[in-house]
Amino acid sequence: MRVLIRCRPGGVVRIGVADKSPDLPQVGNPGCDAAGGRGLMLVDALSLRWGYDRHRWGKVVWAELRAPSES
């Protein structure tokens, strides 16, 4: 697994996680007592947008966040 961080125009930061798995990300719908399955729900709620890029070796799942402006 590899973590990638990139500054993009307009004060946006893209954070990506690369792995070798061919399985694509899916937003879960866990029950109240579930121990997991909320990761992408949080990413979806907190990010401007998120997605994934497929590669022949696996994928990169990424999310874009607005960086706080300096005052």
Side-chain angles (χ1 to χ4, degrees), residues 17-71:
V17 177
D19 66 37
K20 295 181 180 180
S21 172
D23 298 335
L24 298 181
Q26 294 182 341
V27 177
N29 189 13
C32 293
D33 295 335
R38 293 177 181 82
L40 279 179
M41 288 174 58
L42 292 170
V43 168
D44 187 55
L46 297 172
S47 65
L48 298 170
R49 66 187 190 127
W50 69 272
Y52 61 88
D53 299 320
R54 289 176 128 173
H55 298 278
R56 68 175 187 270
W57 46 261
K59 68 183 173 301
V60 176
V61 180
W62 53 265
E64 292 182 344
L65 305 163
R66 175 123 8 245
S69 59
E70 294 183 31
S71 302

